[in-house]
Amino acid sequence: MLEQLNEKDFGTPRRISEQEVTLEIDGMKVTVVAGTSIMRAAAESGVNVPKLCATDSLEPFGSCRLCLVEIEGRKGYPASCTTPVERGMKVRTQSPKLQELRKGVMELYISDHPLDCLTCAANGNCELQDMAGVTGLREVRYGYDGENHLDSKKDESNPYFTYDASKCIVCNRCVRACEETQGTYALTISGRGFESRVSPGQDQPFMDSECVSCGACVQVCPTATLQEKTVIALGQAEHSVVTTCAYCGVGCSFKAEMKGNEVVRMVPNKDGHANEGHSCVKGRFAWGYATHKDRILKPMIRSRITDPWKEVSWDEALTYAALEFKRIQKKYGRDSIGGIVSSRCTNEEGYLVQKLVRAAFGNNNVDTCARVCHSPTGYGLKQTLGESAGTQTFKSVEHSDVIVVMGANPTDAHPVFASRMKKRLREGARLIVIDPRHIDLVRSPHVEADFHLQLKPGTNVALLSALAHVIVTEGLLATDFIAQRCEDKAFQQWRDFVALPENSPEAMHEVTGVPAELVRGAARLYATGGNAAIYYGLGVTEHAQGSTAVMGIANLAMVTGNIGREGVGVNPLRGQNNVQGSCDMGSFPHELPGYHHVSDSTTRHLFEQAWGVEIQPEPGLRIPNMFDAALEGSFMGLYCQGEDIVQSDPNIQHVAAALSAMECIVVQDIFMNETAMYAHVFLPGSSFLEKDGTFTNAERRISRVRKVMPPKAVYADWEVTIQLAKRLDYQMDYAHPSEIMDEIARLTPTFHGVSYAKLDQLGSIQWPCNDEAPLGTPTMHVDHFVRGKGKFIITKYVATDEKVTRRFPLILTTGRILSQYNVGAQTRRTENVQWHEQDLLEIHPHDAEERGIKDGGWVGIQSRAGDTVLRAKVSERMQPGVVYTTFHFPESGANVITTENSDWATNCPEYKVTAVQVKPVTEPSEWQKKYTRFSKVQHELLGKAQQTSGKDKTIA
Ligand code: SF4
Ligand code: SF4
Ligand code: SF4
Ligand code: FES
């Protein structure tokens, strides 16, 4: 689906109003909604008024005076960007006088602008150049020798874009984009009059300022002043293809601007429903990993993990894998092998992996990384509301009056949604943050939380009960909503439970550490402040009571009637790009696609008929059970597509021991990741740029992923799974991923109406999409809950087994940062390392001082699972007693520390609570030394394979 490179810019944003206004522009009758600017009204009717400081993603500013028009009956020449339409207005956009005025403006600009158009990076995509042409500029009367900025120094500090002040026309677009679109306020115009120039921070280089490299300023700059370095290197693109970001669960739509098969830049798509033209540093700039030299492009096999890899043909690798799986099943039984579905791969690829396991392996031993992140969301929301997914669109936040952010850090992990949220907060919505850390949202430019409930890690359920206690005992309930929409008996039992004195904020203070009056204030605000929405993340789910906390959140939404319309709801912020999709596709061992339990014979028979096999009615093994079974000697083979379980799962040493015990591990990935070091077959994966398919984001939005270049290793991941199935004597016949989606739609009621044709037509679709909702479902549970009546569930707080002791007196909690993504396999192979080149241990100054720990010094962190060494970052963001780190670098070993404690319902690991001791050290931990040796050996074994010459590398 090729797109136009330069989209039409209407100059000012679209207005929403029920009133229409008719006016005349250049003799034409034009009707637009009230509040529309003359500039936009003209553009919508095909008349383009010259402009420089206006662009349709930003509020009009009226500084360049190029867009002047004549209005009958009015004196002077008003700016069409800042003048709203009025009924009966008669506007002229062209006249000799207007031409003269515009030419005059352009002369001033050009007299202080380098005339290097032919060699300028923006040549072919420069609005200043275009306006010079449109206004008919032929000479500059002031000459070029006056005072100018032509010698201004270039700022090249940002790895992805340059700032060339000599080309700046001080249109202020970048400053406004940083404020309005991104909400970071990193830019100002410093100086006055002729001296005025764009300034990051306090006249600092971009990299030293608060800039988070989202690219919004670069996007709106009408000249080459702010310019992508890739465009400077490669020149302007020649075509573009719409696709979806492969990083986080926001699922931003991008135009991949291409030159042949080479990406020139990724431009956020204005028509993208999840992001509406905005981006973050990862999707916008950090795509270079896709062509990184570390990509493994040839299939490889080896008998033992101590052997060198041997490059083989696709046929040989797949045949070897299939024979090994058959051998293992013959020796150890049908259930001795399994597969892992990737939340980074497409829906279609995930569907095929679980189908391979169920149909070709003949068991239900399939799981996905959602096990370690949002499986409690699936369970908790299904129990209470009836559907395992968030209830809203991202846009819904524009209608929220109160926003609760619990256990999530959107400015780092879901940045584009965070910008949208911050915009609403700047408009006056109130904010409650529930988090052990002082995350950026608590206080950032023009945003301040009304309440920060800085609870102790592991006490979410206690806090949720305390909030519910206030709502129930102070009579802040939505009684009508509860009576009409919820199960009465369950409600009464729950109400009586939360009303118990032991659940009061005062009683819970000792558990949560949060002062009772703050809990009472937050509860009152949530219940009475208007539309209230809860956004939560892994700080809720990754606990021993993760599922309980999710149900507690759903209870709060129901008791206050905050569900079933815009501006409210229960919104899990999903981590990986397709974690919602991988769950939807039946990647859990107990569920077929569409969340139907494998024990449900009707659904099972439907799939059995379609697939021509018998499906086992008993759930298969979850990932942690696979590890345990491997160590017991009953689980011996694994097909792992696009996941790095060694780095991402808790208690690395346990995972590594389990993998070492298996006889055949098949890893399909784009890089030699940590898991692949334990593998016997390596199948080269394909990046999101190399295949067709779909991703489903945190709002249940299904978006197309489109192939912009051929797979570097010849085959897309879905093609490889088909070939593996064939060698396991199971035939899968699909010529294109659209045919896989057609099968998913046929077999899954919530997807009945989904097709590639409809996705092309609508841009994206939020499931359920079927006969009842042919265009999809932006808001769920509108008139009734998916399960019929909403069900309150009692959520009793049970303290985790992971307790601080004299030996381990601190709690370690983990998370992410903006520039890195998950295990870092992608972002570590980009310039994003300039922002974060190693994982750090954040520690409160008091705890640091007590232990003699200095900022930047090495610290050993020890838990009952293991120990590692990181550099310390002494930070007031932490509360005393709590330390924090990220897990983006394998050598940091954050998951050497985390334990096997897990959620009671789903086995989701308790990453957020590990009792640790921290002390200054001088050398790496024993694990790190062992890891370094093992990793070195594995890279040598890989190096040997890469020296061998290639044979036929295609699938036979
Ligand atoms: S850097 Fe670009 S967008 Fe910003 S003021 Fe200069 S020309 Fe305008
Ligand atoms: S890249 Fe984003 S954060 Fe940085 S200055 Fe530009 S708009 Fe602001
Ligand atoms: S917010 Fe998420 S989906 Fe959007 S560009 Fe950033 S990483 Fe990609
Ligand atoms: S575009 Fe209207 S004043 Fe600049």
Side-chain angles (χ1 to χ4, degrees):
M1 198 184 181
L2 294 187
E3 290 284 321
Q4 276 201 326
L5 270 175
N6 297 326
E7 291 169 337
K8 183 167 171 99
D9 185 340
F10 293 88
T12 62
R14 193 157 67 88
R15 299 299 180 206
I16 296 172
S17 168
E18 291 186 353
Q19 284 178 357
E20 290 196 329
V21 172
T22 300
L23 70 159
E24 211 178 279
I25 299 177
D26 293 342
M28 257 188 319
K29 282 248 178 307
V30 176
T31 301
V32 291
V33 297
T36 303
S37 69
I38 293 176
M39 174 179 280
R40 183 162 186 123
E44 285 181 6
S45 59
V47 175
N48 296 317
V49 182
K51 62 179 176 54
L52 274 174
C53 68
T55 186
D56 58 12
S57 61
L58 301 172
E59 289 302 319
F61 191 62
S63 70
C64 76
R65 313 299 296 164
L66 202 62
C67 68
L68 308 182
V69 290
E70 292 171 2
I71 302 177
E72 202 174 283
R74 279 204 203 174
K75 283 195 188 146
Y77 303 93
S80 64
C81 62
T82 48
T83 312
V85 293
E86 283 175 23
R87 183 164 316 201
M89 215 177 215
K90 291 191 175 163
V91 179
R92 285 178 70 185
T93 68
Q94 297 295 342
S95 74
K97 182 65 192 169
L98 289 172
Q99 180 80 350
E100 185 195 324
L101 288 170
R102 289 173 185 155
K103 232 192 242 187
V105 170
M106 284 307 295
E107 272 186 280
L108 279 172
Y109 279 128
I110 300 301
S111 67
D112 183 16
H113 196 86
L115 295 179
D116 60 353
C117 286
L118 287 183
T119 53
C120 175
N123 191 6
N125 190 13
C126 172
E127 293 182 43
L128 190 68
Q129 203 180 53
D130 294 345
M131 290 306 113
V134 164
T135 53
L137 188 72
R138 298 291 173 260
E139 58 171 344
V140 173
R141 284 167 295 168
Y142 318 110
Y144 306 102
D145 303 329
E147 207 182 353
N148 59 48
H149 298 86
L150 302 185
D151 292 330
S152 303
K153 200 164 167 282
K154 247 183 175 182
D155 175 0
E156 302 195 87
S157 61
N158 185 290
Y160 297 118
F161 60 84
T162 58
Y163 170 59
D164 181 353
S166 73
K167 296 192 168 172
C168 179
I169 59 170
V170 202
C171 66
N172 207 281
R173 280 194 196 183
C174 53
V175 178
R176 287 177 286 145
C178 194
E179 294 174 1
E180 291 176 30
T181 311
Q182 166 59 20
T184 292
Y185 293 77
L187 302 177
T188 49
I189 300 286
S190 65
R192 289 193 170 188
F194 176 79
E195 296 300 327
S196 54
R197 270 304 172 259
V198 172
S199 153
Q202 310 294 318
D203 262 330
Q204 295 158 298
F206 269 83
M207 278 304 266
D208 296 346
S209 74
E210 303 83 26
C211 168
V212 292
S213 199
C214 71
C217 55
V218 183
Q219 186 62 16
V220 294
C221 182
T223 64
T225 312
L226 288 163
Q227 185 73 65
E228 296 91 345
K229 287 185 177 173
T230 48
V231 174
I232 295 173
L234 299 170
Q236 297 289 331
E238 43 84 10
H239 73 273
S240 77
V241 181
V242 172
T243 190
T244 304
C245 177
Y247 281 117
C248 85
V250 178
C252 295
S253 175
F254 278 88
K255 286 187 172 179
E257 290 197 356
M258 308 291 300
K259 259 190 162 163
N261 289 335
E262 190 169 18
V263 179
V264 174
R265 62 175 180 172
M266 296 291 278
V267 178
N269 181 12
K270 280 205 289 195
D271 296 330
H273 298 123
N275 56 323
E276 296 185 331
H278 192 31
S279 59
C280 83
V281 61
K282 295 189 282 282
R284 176 78 153 95
F285 296 118
W287 37 268
Y289 72 87
T291 50
H292 195 274
K293 63 176 176 40
D294 288 354
R295 285 277 304 263
I296 309 258
L297 302 176
K298 307 215 170 114
M300 301 183 296
I301 57 173
R302 59 182 175 179
S303 314
R304 290 167 306 180
I305 66 165
T306 46
D307 290 345
W309 284 101
K310 182 174 149 210
E311 285 180 359
V312 294
S313 68
W314 273 103
D315 181 44
E316 197 176 338
L318 288 161
T319 303
Y320 180 85
L323 287 174
E324 276 295 277
F325 284 152
K326 283 182 183 175
R327 179 188 66 76
I328 290 170
Q329 282 191 304
K330 196 162 171 213
K331 184 170 170 192
Y332 298 97
R334 187 193 64 203
D335 297 336
S336 58
I337 62 172
I340 293 181
V341 171
S342 173
S343 290
R344 298 181 205 171
C345 288
T346 62
N347 284 317
E348 293 75 3
E349 287 164 343
Y351 178 84
L352 289 195
V353 173
Q354 63 84 34
K355 181 173 175 178
L356 174 98
V357 170
R358 296 198 156 99
F361 291 3
N363 61 43
N364 285 314
N365 291 339
V366 61
D367 209 351
T368 178
C369 75
R371 170 72 48 224
V372 298
C373 65
H374 267 288
S375 51
T377 287
Y379 180 86
L381 297 187
K382 183 98 179 169
Q383 298 298 310
T384 46
L385 312 181
E387 191 56 271
S388 301
T391 61
Q392 310 297 125
T393 59
F394 288 138
K395 205 173 173 56
S396 158
V397 79
E398 293 171 9
H399 302 274
S400 297
D401 302 307
V402 179
I403 298 169
V404 181
V405 177
M406 182 168 186
N409 186 9
T411 50
D412 281 46
H414 302 87
V416 166
F417 173 66
S419 293
R420 207 191 266 262
M421 182 189 273
K422 287 202 287 187
K423 192 170 187 176
R424 181 65 192 148
L425 292 167
R426 291 197 302 273
E427 287 166 0
R430 314 278 300 273
L431 175 65
I432 300 167
V433 173
I434 305 176
D435 202 287
R437 284 202 313 149
H438 192 282
I439 58 169
D440 285 349
L441 258 189
V442 174
R443 181 176 291 169
S444 58
H446 305 278
V447 169
E448 181 150 12
D450 293 83
F451 294 96
H452 177 203
L453 310 184
Q454 201 168 6
L455 76 180
K456 292 181 193 160
T459 64
N460 285 330
V461 172
L463 186 72
L464 288 163
S465 295
L467 290 166
H469 176 91
V470 178
I471 292 166
V472 164
T473 55
E474 295 190 9
L476 310 176
L477 311 85
T479 7
D480 290 349
F481 181 92
I482 298 164
Q484 286 158 20
R485 303 276 311 261
C486 303
E487 282 184 17
D488 189 42
K489 191 163 168 225
F491 165 65
Q492 288 182 25
Q493 288 170 343
W494 175 82
R495 182 196 57 196
D496 295 346
F497 164 74
V498 294
L500 293 173
E502 69 204 47
N503 286 321
S504 70
E506 289 73 17
M508 284 297 188
H509 174 218
E510 202 173 328
V511 175
T512 63
V514 183
E517 66 274 16
L518 289 186
V519 179
R520 289 198 176 270
R524 289 173 194 142
L525 177 59
Y526 175 72
T528 63
N531 282 345
I534 303 179
Y535 293 86
Y536 71 90
L538 305 181
V540 165
T541 55
E542 290 175 344
H543 287 275
Q545 281 198 295
S547 293
T548 320
V550 172
M551 294 189 285
I553 286 172
N555 290 339
L556 280 187
M558 289 190 288
V559 77
T560 53
N562 276 310
I563 207 136
R565 61 182 190 279
E566 284 199 296
V568 299
V570 176
N571 305 279
L573 292 172
R574 300 276 188 159
Q576 301 207 62
N577 52 330
N578 199 37
V579 68
Q580 178 70 53
S582 68
C583 299
D584 301 343
M585 292 300 110
S587 306
F588 287 132
H590 65 293
E591 281 170 343
L592 287 159
Y595 301 101
H596 292 284
H597 203 276
V598 286
S599 63
D600 167 10
S601 57
T602 314
T603 310
R604 211 173 57 244
H605 291 152
L606 182 74
F607 281 89
E608 284 177 339
Q609 276 192 336
W611 295 352
V613 293
E614 190 190 333
I615 297 172
Q616 300 306 314
E618 297 295 329
L621 297 174
R622 296 169 173 182
I623 292 172
N625 306 131
M626 292 181 193
F627 297 149
D628 292 344
L631 289 167
E632 283 159 14
S634 59
F635 187 85
M636 289 289 131
L638 182 68
Y639 173 42
C640 180
Q641 185 181 77
E643 282 300 324
D644 194 357
I645 47 180
V646 171
Q647 196 182 333
S648 66
D649 284 37
N651 196 347
I652 287 179
Q653 298 182 90
H654 177 73
V655 178
L659 295 190
S660 303
M662 292 186 206
E663 293 182 5
C664 180
I665 295 174
V666 178
V667 164
Q668 188 171 346
D669 209 288
I670 59 177
F671 298 115
M672 175 59 59
N673 61 22
E674 302 302 305
T675 307
M677 294 187 195
Y678 295 87
H680 307 86
V681 180
F682 187 93
L683 304 174
S686 50
S687 81
F688 77 115
L689 297 170
E690 297 159 28
K691 57 197 175 190
D692 282 300
T694 55
F695 291 152
T696 306
N697 75 354
E699 346 152 80
R700 296 168 279 105
R701 186 182 299 288
I702 309 161
S703 302
R704 274 300 312 276
V705 176
R706 292 188 176 86
K707 181 169 158 180
V708 303
M709 59 177 69
K712 293 210 154 301
V714 184
Y715 297 103
D717 294 317
W718 61 274
E719 294 174 291
V720 175
T721 307
I722 291 172
Q723 290 299 326
L724 180 59
K726 185 172 147 195
R727 282 157 182 80
L728 288 162
D729 310 316
Y730 183 76
Q731 198 65 28
M732 294 185 186
D733 294 310
Y734 310 98
H736 189 268
S738 63
E739 296 175 10
I740 308 172
M741 179 53 84
D742 290 343
E743 180 175 312
I744 296 165
R746 241 185 353 265
L747 296 173
T748 314
T750 44
F751 278 67
H752 273 343
V754 180
S755 67
Y756 277 29
K758 196 185 269 187
L759 284 166
D760 285 348
Q761 186 199 340
L762 300 178
S764 62
I765 300 170
Q766 285 177 277
W767 66 258
C769 174
N770 45 31
D771 288 346
E772 293 87 68
L775 300 180
T777 310
T779 308
M780 294 202 77
H781 315 295
V782 173
D783 298 317
H784 55 83
F785 287 100
V786 171
R787 71 183 299 284
K789 294 234 168 181
K791 185 172 182 185
F792 284 87
I793 294 183
I794 290 178
T795 55
K796 188 167 172 47
Y797 169 68
V798 179
T800 166
D801 292 342
E802 188 68 15
K803 298 205 170 37
V804 291
T805 59
R806 279 178 59 186
R807 189 164 163 228
F808 300 120
L810 301 173
I811 291 288
L812 170 76
T813 186
T814 62
R816 304 172 185 209
I817 50 131
L818 171 68
S819 53
Q820 296 289 345
Y821 173 72
N822 203 272
V823 293
Q826 293 143 287
T827 41
R828 277 187 277 116
R829 290 180 172 94
T830 69
E831 293 298 331
N832 279 23
V833 287
Q834 291 198 25
W835 282 276
H836 185 85
E837 55 178 6
Q838 59 182 313
D839 294 319
L840 301 169
L841 185 86
E842 285 189 42
I843 182 166
H844 188 270
H846 171 77
D847 293 328
E849 197 187 336
E850 217 174 38
R851 291 165 173 77
I853 292 169
K854 299 263 174 312
D855 193 51
W858 289 111
V859 282
I861 310 131
Q862 191 179 25
S863 75
R864 63 186 168 80
D867 56 358
T868 195
V869 171
L870 298 172
R871 281 195 189 276
K873 182 178 171 185
V874 179
S875 162
E876 296 272 1
R877 282 155 65 104
M878 304 310 302
Q879 51 175 295
V882 181
V883 292
Y884 169 88
T885 190
T886 48
F887 59 101
H888 303 302
F889 290 79
E891 60 275 17
S892 319
N895 282 327
V896 173
I897 308 294
T898 50
T899 67
E900 290 149 69
N901 274 5
S902 65
D903 175 42
W904 61 273
T906 65
N907 270 157
C908 179
E910 193 180 30
Y911 289 112
K912 302 299 181 192
V913 189
T914 310
V916 295
Q917 178 56 294
V918 171
K919 54 178 187 222
V921 291
T922 50
E923 58 175 342
S925 73
E926 280 313 306
W927 176 83
Q928 280 168 315
K929 288 180 196 162
K930 210 167 110 198
Y931 167 80
T932 308
R933 284 195 298 273
F934 178 69
S935 177
K936 186 164 171 269
V937 168
Q938 287 300 322
H939 279 98
E940 281 164 9
L941 296 174
L942 175 65
K944 286 183 187 155
Q946 288 176 337
Q947 285 157 21
T948 63
S949 61
K951 301 182 215 151
D952 168 24
K953 300 295 184 293
T954 54
I955 293 177

